[in-house]
Amino acid sequence: MAERKGIILAGGKGSRLHPITLGISKQLLPVYDKPMIYYPTSVLMLSGIRDIAIITTPEDKEQFVRTMGDGSQWGVSFTYIQQPSPDGLAQAYILAEEFLDGAPSAMVLGDNIFFGHGLPTQLKAADARKTGGTIFGYRVADPERYGVIGFDREGMVTSIIEKPEIPPSQYAVTGLYYLDASAPDRARSIEKSARGELEITSLLETYLKDGVLSVEQLGRGFAWLDTGTHASLLDAGNFVRTLSERQGQLVGSPDEVAYHQGWISPEELMSRATRFGKSEYGRYLQRLLLP
């Protein structure tokens, strides 16, 4: 079976963050010490995924190429796919169909940040399911604001309800989806919603109907941050800063992940550290090479 490929959805206009997104893509805004897109990129890399498509707008593509390159600096490969208009999250699978070429995928939203000590273990559990789909549930205090998961004791999803008045659980659907090779065909089969979009919920419901949708619960010790508003963007930056300064460890560094995965050599990491040498990010990379 084909190796799982990654998709980072980094399109849209970022209108909720205007005026700061008038001249730059939302997913390239800084979250403390790194561009926002570094965080979802590192999640896919922690999964062992090395072939990644970045879906963005025609206007923003060059910004992403300038920031992210072709991926070789991290031992991965980036393919850039243009999204002419934002027609829903599920559209990503149709746009990426040629790139996926029959492979299963892991899609992460470009403005979502995931953190937790056991995260790689849960990512690998999702990756091990080669058929069906896996979503990640995160416990929230106000589930009525989200898409909410109902599930049984075996971890199988029984329902996904968008902004329910009476939530079936306190677990919200996060912006990380592990789907099998049927995702593009399923995305093409769903109808647009009342707001004219191919909804990710509608796509997931096709897996649910077939009884092949599982959930990984991100419990205590995990953080899931959505950076779609000015306040949540600031909160995310402060969260990353606090962890970095208290623990002396970076959050969401593709350079560090690539080095620990063995995808880049010590010499290649030193080259990256030298490039960023005047910043704390560069000094941190240098410290990784100390005995």
Side-chain angles (χ1 to χ4, degrees):
M1 183 174 287
E3 290 288 318
R4 190 177 299 272
K5 296 184 179 182
I7 302 170
I8 302 174
L9 187 53
K13 299 183 183 301
S15 55
R16 285 192 298 163
L17 288 171
H18 282 172
I20 59 175
T21 49
L22 290 176
I24 185 172
S25 170
K26 172 177 67 173
Q27 292 84 5
L28 293 176
L29 291 173
V31 176
Y32 185 49
D33 57 348
K34 295 175 291 298
M36 188 186 295
I37 195 172
Y38 271 36
Y39 298 88
T41 300
S42 68
V43 168
L44 295 181
M45 293 171 63
L46 281 170
S47 251
I49 294 172
R50 303 180 72 170
D51 201 357
I52 299 170
I54 298 175
I55 298 179
T56 187
T57 65
E59 312 88 75
D60 293 332
K61 178 185 173 184
E62 288 309 311
Q63 295 179 13
F64 282 94
V65 173
R66 187 165 62 248
T67 302
M68 304 291 282
D70 63 3
S72 59
Q73 73 276 17
W74 298 321
V76 302
S77 173
F78 292 136
T79 297
Y80 293 92
I81 298 174
Q82 296 183 33
Q83 182 184 38
S85 60
D87 294 330
L89 302 187
Q91 181 196 27
Y93 295 96
I94 299 173
L95 294 173
E97 183 171 21
E98 184 177 343
F99 162 77
L100 292 173
D101 193 25
S105 62
M107 183 172 80
V108 60
L109 303 188
D111 62 356
N112 276 215
I113 295 173
F114 295 85
F115 176 80
H117 176 69
L119 184 59
T121 300
Q122 293 200 267
L123 295 176
K124 287 172 183 173
D127 181 55
R129 300 184 187 107
K130 300 304 183 184
T131 58
T134 301
I135 55 177
F136 291 78
Y138 185 79
R139 188 181 180 91
V140 294
D142 48 356
E144 62 278 357
R145 293 180 53 232
Y146 301 90
V148 181
I149 309 166
F151 48 85
D152 61 24
R153 293 180 180 179
E154 281 70 48
M156 295 300 289
V157 184
T158 57
S159 63
I160 301 174
I161 306 173
E162 193 67 31
K163 297 180 181 177
E165 291 185 14
I166 304 176
S169 77
Q170 286 190 281
Y171 282 87
V173 181
T174 70
L176 180 60
Y177 318 91
Y178 279 62
L179 302 182
D180 64 15
S182 69
D185 284 339
R186 290 174 182 269
R188 253 195 310 274
S189 74
I190 64 177
E191 295 183 2
K192 288 186 176 182
S193 65
R195 60 176 183 168
E197 296 190 359
L198 296 173
E199 306 287 355
I200 190 69
T201 305
S202 300
L203 174 59
L204 296 176
E205 283 174 347
T206 70
Y207 285 92
L208 178 58
K209 182 180 178 182
D210 292 343
V212 290
L213 188 63
S214 302
V215 60
E216 288 284 329
Q217 297 180 35
L218 301 177
R220 290 180 182 270
F222 286 93
W224 167 53
L225 303 171
D226 178 342
T227 54
T229 66
H230 298 100
S232 60
L233 180 63
L234 179 61
D235 288 344
N238 286 330
F239 174 81
V240 172
R241 178 187 177 187
T242 299
L243 280 175
S244 299
E245 292 186 351
R246 288 286 182 89
Q247 298 186 347
Q249 294 180 309
L250 284 184
V251 178
S253 167
D255 293 280
E256 181 175 16
V257 176
Y259 179 60
H260 288 315
Q261 294 276 43
W263 298 346
I264 61 174
S265 67
E267 293 76 20
E268 288 169 317
L269 182 64
M270 179 54 74
S271 174
R272 296 283 292 170
T274 301
R275 179 180 181 184
F276 304 127
K278 292 185 178 180
S279 69
E280 178 54 35
Y281 186 85
R283 290 190 286 272
Y284 178 85
L285 297 183
Q286 290 180 8
R287 291 195 293 272
L288 291 177
L289 293 166
L290 294 176

